[in-house]
Amino acid sequence: MVIAVSERLPTSAEYIDLRARMGWGAIDEETAIKTMQAASFTTCLRDDDRLIGLARVMGDGVLYFFLADLIVDPKYRGGGHGDTLMRLVTEYFDRSAKPGASITLVALNGRETFYERFGFVRCPNGPFGMGMHYASAPAPG
């Protein structure tokens, strides 16, 4: 097993498959393509050529950043791969964010302490209030 970092975008099929392995619901190819192309930063982990991890940041790349995906295939959990992806993401933030930048994420319940290890704080600390979501968003497929 040789795990390698890659900034090559996953194919739509790879992204769809990785989401399915996570149990995150089905998306179609057009949606996968649009969301992958809209990211300001993407980094992947591959075991040989198989996509096993992904981190994706949305935003303008200077003032607004949102960590949209941090995914590690369940079969590869516990090997420090999430830490590797987060180090790459925070290095991107450190070199790209301009003064006054907003860098945010919405952690899954129970995963907050993971992100705290990388400098994130729980809202409402700092300039932010409580995290919110749009209740009328379509449910996962």
Side-chain angles (χ1 to χ4, degrees):
M1 173 171 62
V2 177
I3 307 297
V5 173
S6 170
E7 288 191 22
R8 176 176 55 106
L9 287 180
T11 66
S12 57
E14 287 178 315
Y15 183 63
I16 290 167
D17 179 61
L18 185 59
R19 286 178 50 91
R21 284 183 263 155
M22 296 297 297
W24 287 5
I27 59 172
D28 61 37
E29 183 176 9
E30 179 183 358
T31 300
I33 290 169
K34 281 185 176 183
T35 196
M36 292 306 300
Q37 291 176 343
S40 61
F41 176 78
T42 302
T43 190
C44 301
L45 295 177
R46 294 181 178 278
D47 183 354
D48 291 322
D49 201 39
R50 183 172 191 242
L51 181 67
I52 61 129
L54 168 84
R56 207 163 56 94
V57 177
M58 307 304 281
D60 60 20
V62 289
L63 284 179
Y64 296 97
F65 303 84
F66 175 73
L67 179 59
D69 284 323
L70 182 74
I71 308 170
V72 175
D73 183 314
K75 293 179 183 175
Y76 289 82
R77 292 225 181 113
H81 305 303
D83 288 8
T84 298
L85 290 169
M86 277 306 295
R87 278 193 300 278
L88 294 165
V89 166
T90 56
E91 288 170 5
Y92 167 70
F93 294 152
D94 292 343
R95 72 176 177 265
S96 301
K98 301 300 181 194
S102 171
I103 302 173
T104 61
L105 63 82
V106 177
L108 294 175
N109 279 330
R111 299 298 295 159
E112 296 87 355
T113 56
F114 171 81
Y115 295 105
E116 288 171 338
R117 294 187 359 239
F118 296 93
F120 284 85
V121 296
R122 297 175 196 223
C123 296
N125 297 332
F128 302 105
M130 295 299 289
M132 300 178 78
H133 74 278
Y134 184 57
S136 295

